[in-house]
Amino acid sequence: ETGVTQSPTHLIKTRGQQVTLRCSSQSGHNTVSWYQQALGQGPQFIFQYYREEENGRGNFPPRFSGLQFPNYSSELNVNALELDDSALYLCASSPDSSGLTGELFFGEGSRLTVL
Amino acid sequence: AQSVSQHNHHVILSEAASLELGCNYSYGGTVNLFWYVQYPGQHLQLLLKYFSGDPLVKGIKGFEAEFIKSKFSFNLRKPSVQWSDTAEYFCAVNAAATSGTYKYIFGTGTRLKVLA
């Protein structure tokens, strides 16, 4: 167990709807990053939060947004859902944002299906 | 653009066979290299990592990987696989961005099935 928990584990939405995914980071970790893993693909970096500020972003449109709270938990919000947003969304926490330790601690993911 | 290539998408081996999974990356600067593993029904976890120093790194469960800078490669090896090594293996690179943060890039993964 990593101590990173995500909710919900599974959800189904329809095109155009909005979704919020939640993540609690491992105790002592101040950095949270989110990844999208489509079927048959590796995780793709969406963005990273450090001490409540977004400090890194991948090639995802603005309808993917997030928040980090003072307790370092985080949310991923996706607006105007599209069929291609169907994927496993992974949250990972780490004790720093500088990459010095290198290790990410992953949750088990939230599987989103968009119909 | 930075990328990570894993050439073997599916590998099937018998127990005690040797394993080598290929990983090549495309990035001109200094990178840190990782292998992550996902066992069935479990979360992704770190297998081993390379930051600097000895290019042959050892990880958990008897795995090792060799960084060959001239080939931009970081292949994963294990001399004798076990049934419990059945999992999906991801090679990953992280590199510092100008903002002082870093970004991970993962390969597409290799599904390993070990036959008992």
Side-chain angles (χ1 to χ4, degrees), chain A residues 6-70:
Chain A
Q6 293 187 242
S7 63
T9 54
H10 295 82
L11 68 166
I12 300 173
K13 293 285 188 177
T14 56
R15 273 187 304 176
Q17 285 189 311
Q18 178 265 343
V19 69
T20 297
L21 307 178
R22 294 178 177 84
C23 171
S24 293
S25 59
Q26 182 160 317
S27 177
H29 288 187
N30 56 24
T31 302
V32 171
S33 50
W34 286 91
Y35 295 81
Q36 182 195 65
Q37 187 177 12
L39 204 59
Q41 301 295 317
Q44 287 202 54
F45 176 69
I46 302 175
F47 45 54
Q48 175 177 284
Y49 278 83
Y50 170 66
R51 294 188 175 181
E52 303 178 60
E53 297 281 336
E54 183 184 298
N55 71 346
R57 191 175 182 94
N59 296 327
F60 281 81
R63 60 190 185 83
F64 286 78
S65 64
L67 285 173
Q68 188 180 31
F69 300 100

Side-chain angles (χ1 to χ4, degrees), chain B:
Chain B
Q2 301 165 3
S3 65
V4 176
S5 299
Q6 291 182 244
H7 311 297
N8 314 102
H9 297 294
H10 292 89
V11 173
I12 301 175
L13 295 172
S14 298
E15 273 195 316
S18 64
L19 170 72
E20 181 159 2
L21 301 182
C23 173
N24 288 89
Y25 65 94
S26 170
Y27 184 70
T30 302
V31 296
N32 301 317
L33 298 157
F34 306 82
W35 279 94
Y36 280 81
V37 61
Q38 186 167 30
Y39 297 103
Q42 296 188 26
H43 55 83
L44 272 165
Q45 57 188 284
L46 183 68
L47 197 56
L48 48 77
K49 64 183 178 183
Y50 172 79
F51 274 27
S52 63
D54 188 345
L56 184 64
V57 292
K58 295 191 184 297
I60 60 172
K61 304 187 179 184
F63 286 89
E64 64 180 31
E66 184 176 13
F67 170 52
I68 302 180
K69 189 174 181 179
S70 61
K71 295 185 177 180
F72 297 89
S73 70
F74 190 55
N75 292 354
L76 181 70
R77 300 194 293 247
K78 186 171 183 179
S80 175
V81 294
Q82 299 173 311
W83 178 81
S84 57
D85 294 325
T86 295
E88 189 160 16
Y89 294 80
F90 292 91
C91 181
V93 162
N94 80 11
T98 52
S99 60
T101 63
Y102 63 95
K103 185 172 82 169
Y104 268 84
I105 299 169
F106 284 82
T108 53
T110 297
R111 285 185 185 271
L112 171 66
K113 183 169 184 177
V114 179
L115 304 175

Side-chain angles (χ1 to χ4, degrees), chain A residues 41-97:
Chain A
Q41 301 295 317
Q44 287 202 54
F45 176 69
I46 302 175
F47 45 54
Q48 175 177 284
Y49 278 83
Y50 170 66
R51 294 188 175 181
E52 303 178 60
E53 297 281 336
E54 183 184 298
N55 71 346
R57 191 175 182 94
N59 296 327
F60 281 81
R63 60 190 185 83
F64 286 78
S65 64
L67 285 173
Q68 188 180 31
F69 300 100
N71 66 355
Y72 303 133
S73 66
S74 178
E75 287 183 354
L76 165 65
N77 299 291
V78 187
N79 293 322
L81 284 167
E82 301 177 1
L83 296 180
D84 285 349
D85 296 332
S86 295
L88 181 68
Y89 288 85
L90 296 169
C91 170
S93 74
S94 56
D96 70 275
S97 70

Side-chain angles (χ1 to χ4, degrees), chain A residues 100-112:
Chain A
L100 290 175
T101 63
E103 184 171 359
L104 296 175
F105 294 79
F106 284 90
E108 297 199 10
S110 294
R111 185 165 296 281
L112 171 65

